[in-house]
């Protein structure tokens, strides 16, 4: 077992009850970890803890915290065999996707986890999620960013939060689990990313302007005109089924065309959890390609948002970004 680094960002796992509901408390979690005997038992990797300041509910985590996590991993990369990132569940799938793109040519496990019930409460799922994540990080068999929760190890760029209150809270709708933890931890060798031969590096994200627009019956596209054509670098359009939009009014296509002319990259994802976008399969989707939108295939919205941030942070031209959105970079989409 290699020594691992636990990066604690906040989230339910280390929260305590307050008069305003659960909230993180500085210093509490480090003391609580020292009280868990298993963490110093023989089968466990040795570990250090880095606690962020301030500790956050993950609703407040965005680009600057993604950079902070990425820089912490980069600065400690040579000192540890793997990393466990403790994070709130609400936006954990976004952070897992963001880190997948940020950390290039990663050769060590980076495992995000947390819990639905705080460590200090009865029936908490924190202990198992933490201990199993530490074992996976210490074993060094995965070489990518993953999310472990409720017995499932999921590729970071494929994860989505599927339950607000279940203890098996995350799913990987379009890619097999990388491992399942029952009595043993069973790795799915065929699903793991191949070891990279490149040299590990970090791309910090910039504040790009990204929007997600969910299409619904009766949507009046005209109302979106100012943000779509002027304000945004990238748009994820969550469409029906395989990429369909209503064509009862002709407002959307000119908007997409103008957005595209302004350098905005419009990526078409599906509202369905499972399956893939097939632009052109129906008349109601083929016009999207003609107007300059690109297919997100079976990417989660979380991965599409993170990928847009990543590509804009690299300062690429819109045309190149369009190409890359349709290219598999970190195992985030199936062509
Ligand atoms: N609101 C919490 C968070 O995301 C929920 C959790 O951790 O489960 O930080």
């Amino acid at each position: 077992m290699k020594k691992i680094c636990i990066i604690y960002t906040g989230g339910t796992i280390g929260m305590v009850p307050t008069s305003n509901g659960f909230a993180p408390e500085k210093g509490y979690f480090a003391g609580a970890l020292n009280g868990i005997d298993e963490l110093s038992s023989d089968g466990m990797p040795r570990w250090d803890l880095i606690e962020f300041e301030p500790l956050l509910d993950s609703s407040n985590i965005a680009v600057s915290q993604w950079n902070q996590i990425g820089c912490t991993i980069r600065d400690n990369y040579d000192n540890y065999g793997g990393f466990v990132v403790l994070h709130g569940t609400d936006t954990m799938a976004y952070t897992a996707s963001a880190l997948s793109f940020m950390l290039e040519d990663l050769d060590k496990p980076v495992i995000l986890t947390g819990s639905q019930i705080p460590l200090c409460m009865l029936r908490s799922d924190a202990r198992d999620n933490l201990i199993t994540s530490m074992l996976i990080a210490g074993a060094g068999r995965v070489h990518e960013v993953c999310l472990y929760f409720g017995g499932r190890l999921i590729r970071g760029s494929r994860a989505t939060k599927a339950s607000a209150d279940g203890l098996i809270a995350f799913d990987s709708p379009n890619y097999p689990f990388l491992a399942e933890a029952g009595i043993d931890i069973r790795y799915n060798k065929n699903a793991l990313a191949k070891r990279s031969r490149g040299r590990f590096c970090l791309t910090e994200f910039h504040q790009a302007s990204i929007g997600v627009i969910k299409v619904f019956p009766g949507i009046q596209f005209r109302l979106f005109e100012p943000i779509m054509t002027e304000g945004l670098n990238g748009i994820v359009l969550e469409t029906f089924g395989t990429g369909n939009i209503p064509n009862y009014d002709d407002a959307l296509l000119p908007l997409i065309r103008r957005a595209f002319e302004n350098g905005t990259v419009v990526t078409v994802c599906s509202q369905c959890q499972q399956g893939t976008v097939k632009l052109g399969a129906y008349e109601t989707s083929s016009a999207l390609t003609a107007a300059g939108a690109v297919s997100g295939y079976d990417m989660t919205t979380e991965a599409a948002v993170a990928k847009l941030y990543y590509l804009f942070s690299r300062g690429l031209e819109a045309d190149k970004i369009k190409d890359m959105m349709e290219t598999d970079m970190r195992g985030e989409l199936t062509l």
Side-chain angles (χ1 to χ4, degrees), residues 10-13 15 56-59 87-91 115-116 161:
T12 293
I13 191 163
M15 288 189 185
L56 292 173
D57 184 296
S58 73
S59 317
H87 193 288
T89 60
D90 288 342
T91 66
S115 71
Q116 292 276 56
K161 186 172 179 184

Side-chain angles (χ1 to χ4, degrees), residues 208-229:
S209 307
I210 309 296
V212 178
I213 297 175
K214 183 167 185 160
V215 174
F216 56 90
I219 186 169
Q220 291 174 272
F221 290 114
R222 276 184 192 83
L223 301 179
F224 295 87
E225 179 163 2
I227 53 165
M228 283 186 72
T229 56

Side-chain angles (χ1 to χ4, degrees), residues 164-239:
D165 56 8
L167 300 186
I168 303 177
F170 289 87
D171 207 354
S172 178
N174 284 312
Y175 195 74
F177 300 133
L178 301 186
E180 286 180 78
I183 290 177
D184 299 309
I185 300 173
R186 291 179 310 277
Y187 290 90
N188 180 355
K189 279 191 213 127
N190 296 331
L192 299 178
K194 301 269 170 295
R195 257 186 118 139
S196 156
R197 290 174 185 279
R199 196 178 147 80
F200 167 70
C201 68
L202 168 80
T203 302
E204 287 188 55
F205 281 12
H206 301 162
Q207 277 295 351
S209 307
I210 309 296
V212 178
I213 297 175
K214 183 167 185 160
V215 174
F216 56 90
I219 186 169
Q220 291 174 272
F221 290 114
R222 276 184 192 83
L223 301 179
F224 295 87
E225 179 163 2
I227 53 165
M228 283 186 72
T229 56
E230 286 156 35
L232 296 171
N233 299 120
I235 297 172
V236 177
L237 198 60
E238 277 195 8
T239 57

Side-chain angles (χ1 to χ4, degrees), residues 88-133:
T89 60
D90 288 342
T91 66
M92 195 189 292
Y94 285 93
T95 300
S97 292
L99 292 175
S100 302
F101 291 107
M102 258 183 184
L103 304 173
E104 223 152 314
D105 291 313
L106 187 65
D107 192 35
K108 300 184 178 187
V110 172
I111 317 293
L112 285 96
T113 196
S115 71
Q116 292 276 56
I117 305 174
L119 180 64
C120 64
M121 303 296 285
L122 278 178
R123 295 189 52 246
S124 174
D125 49 336
R127 247 177 142 84
D128 172 59
N129 286 343
L130 174 64
I131 290 174
T132 307
S133 298

